[in-house]
Amino acid sequence: MGKVVLVTGVARHLGSRFVQELRREPGVDLVVGVDLQPSAHDLSGPEEDTELAGYTFVRADIRRPTVARVIAEHEVDTVVHLNVSTTMLGSTSRSTVKETNVIGTMQLLAAVQKAPTVSRLVVKSTTSVYGSAPRDPAVFHERMQPKVLPSGGFAKDAVEVEGYVRGFSRRRPDVAVSVLRFANIVGPHADTPLAEYFALPVLPTVLGYDPRLQFIHEDDAVEVLRLAAMEPRRGMINTGTFNVAGEGVMVLSQAARRLGRPTVPMLLPAVSWVAGLARQTRLLDFSPEQMRLLTHGRVVDTTQLRETFGYLPRYTTEQALADMARGTRSGLLPPAQVAGWTSRVAELLPNGGGKKR
């Protein structure tokens, strides 16, 4: 009998894409999707396609013990936890999001701990666990600790989630555990807060800062999840904690030029006010942690992803952003024109427009 994989968070775009890919995997017999609502995509597929693994959706809240019954009923052997997110579909309540991220993960891990059939656990995390601070190192490795621990929001949730996962690993050493710290996921259909920010006609930025950023394309994110859910390839290890990001680094001003988005440099208090207004009006989820990212940036090392996990992302950071640009509405101005203006302004500034890091 092939694998039975339970996937949480299937209502979101990444979860839906992953389920579709997983059903094509020859070693998978059944995929069980769990979420509060079904995906907007048809994940069942054509009934006549016998080459696809089976799919069943269970409407359940992972904050409740129901998930233990689902695991036992389907004799699940692999759990992929994608329901750790910055926002929750259909809800703007920060407390509800935190409960789903933290309490939901605790309930899921408790259910997995009691399930003798489960042999593999994959958890979606984020590079936000390293924080974003002015005295951060140039590059974060998996074993490094942040200079300043995240004090709230999704980043703090992710830190707590990883702590619970480490505790689970000690209690169930027989379960292969993978923690994937994704950089900002972008692509034509990515539904992340940073993608929403880049979709704005004009990008508010913090005056005097040009943060370094990394991206991972949604296709690469799905492939990394698939590889983590399967048995490792010969000579590779897919258990442990891995930074997942495309090769290369971009600064925010470069990204804005490539997208054809003019930037409006503002003092930090003014940007914070705009971010708060955006959250109140539900224009986008412009959280304080995203503000810190767009001020100080963050770069991670991906050596372990390439050499231990055995995967080199198909898209570099620059290519991932370019593909997102092809799938989104054009900016107010042609990218070449924006680049020309910003270059001329930089030439007029002292020291060639040097900015803080």
Side-chain angles (χ1 to χ4, degrees):
M1 182 176 178
K3 279 181 169 292
V4 178
V5 185
L6 181 141
V7 183
T8 67
V10 296
R12 290 185 175 275
H13 175 69
L14 182 65
S16 299
R17 282 283 314 276
F18 175 61
V19 167
Q20 290 170 332
E21 189 67 28
L22 198 59
R23 293 191 63 202
R24 300 187 183 97
E25 191 67 24
V28 176
D29 272 2
L30 176 66
V31 179
V32 181
V34 175
D35 212 323
L36 287 172
Q37 61 190 63
S39 170
H41 305 277
D42 181 13
L43 301 183
S44 59
E47 295 182 1
E48 63 273 11
D49 192 345
T50 57
E51 294 185 1
L52 291 177
Y55 175 74
T56 183
F57 172 72
V58 178
R59 190 188 299 270
D61 188 339
I62 62 171
R63 294 173 294 176
R64 305 287 182 261
T66 312
V67 69
R69 175 183 57 78
V70 176
I71 292 174
E73 178 182 342
H74 295 282
E75 298 184 350
V76 171
D77 55 65
T78 301
V79 174
V80 181
H81 183 31
L82 304 184
N83 207 1
V84 180
S85 305
T86 54
T87 57
M88 186 175 176
L89 293 176
S91 174
T92 57
S93 169
R94 169 61 199 151
S95 59
T96 302
V97 174
K98 182 175 180 62
E99 284 183 10
T100 302
N101 289 340
V102 179
I103 305 302
T105 299
M106 291 175 63
Q107 286 283 6
L108 179 66
L109 293 177
V112 173
Q113 183 177 332
K114 297 175 183 177
T117 58
V118 176
S119 60
R120 183 171 295 275
L121 170 68
V122 179
V123 179
K124 170 184 170 287
S125 188
T126 169
T127 57
S128 296
V129 297
Y130 299 115
S132 293
R135 299 184 64 184
D136 279 349
V139 180
F140 278 105
H141 303 268
E142 283 87 349
R143 294 185 178 275
M144 295 176 68
Q145 297 297 317
K147 293 287 185 181
V148 180
L149 281 171
S151 58
F154 175 56
K156 186 179 180 183
D157 292 354
V159 170
E160 293 183 30
V161 164
E162 288 197 11
Y164 291 127
V165 172
R166 286 192 294 271
F168 168 83
S169 296
R170 291 191 292 269
R171 294 188 297 271
R172 283 290 304 271
D174 58 308
V175 176
V177 178
S178 302
V179 176
L180 305 174
R181 291 175 177 168
F182 287 98
N184 291 283
I185 299 174
V186 299
H189 307 290
D191 54 357
T192 61
L194 190 67
E196 294 177 355
Y197 168 77
F198 280 136
L200 294 173
V202 177
L203 305 182
T205 61
V206 181
L207 181 66
Y209 292 85
D210 202 9
R212 297 177 305 144
L213 304 172
Q214 282 175 309
F215 309 123
I216 183 73
H217 193 279
E218 57 187 270
D219 290 354
D220 284 316
V222 170
E223 181 63 9
V224 169
L225 287 167
R226 185 191 70 81
L227 292 172
M230 298 294 108
E231 293 299 319
R233 291 173 292 179
R234 176 175 291 186
M236 300 299 170
I237 300 173
N238 63 357
T239 55
T241 300
F242 300 95
N243 293 330
V244 184
E247 296 293 298
V249 176
M250 296 185 74
V251 294
L252 179 57
S253 60
Q254 286 179 306
R257 289 197 296 269
R258 301 294 172 85
L259 295 170
R261 261 65 173 181
T263 58
V264 181
M266 307 168 70
L267 294 174
L268 183 57
V271 181
S272 299
W273 179 82
V274 170
L277 183 64
R279 289 196 302 274
Q280 291 177 10
T281 58
R282 301 183 184 181
L283 177 64
L284 76 162
D285 180 32
F286 209 8
S287 64
E289 66 197 73
Q290 186 165 317
M291 277 294 309
R292 288 189 286 272
L293 173 68
L294 296 177
T295 303
H296 306 295
R298 184 190 311 117
V299 176
V300 298
D301 180 85
T302 57
T303 302
Q304 293 298 316
L305 178 70
R306 298 190 310 271
E307 298 182 0
T308 304
F309 191 90
Y311 184 71
L312 177 65
R314 291 172 47 209
Y315 292 83
T316 64
T317 286
E318 183 177 345
Q319 290 169 342
L321 185 76
D323 195 50
M324 183 186 77
R326 284 191 288 270
T328 57
R329 186 176 56 189
S330 300
L332 289 176
L333 300 170
Q337 186 175 354
V338 177
W341 287 353
T342 53
S343 296
R344 286 195 292 273
V345 170
E347 292 172 358
L348 297 174
L349 294 175
N351 301 321
K355 298 180 181 179
K356 296 178 183 177
R357 288 289 184 267

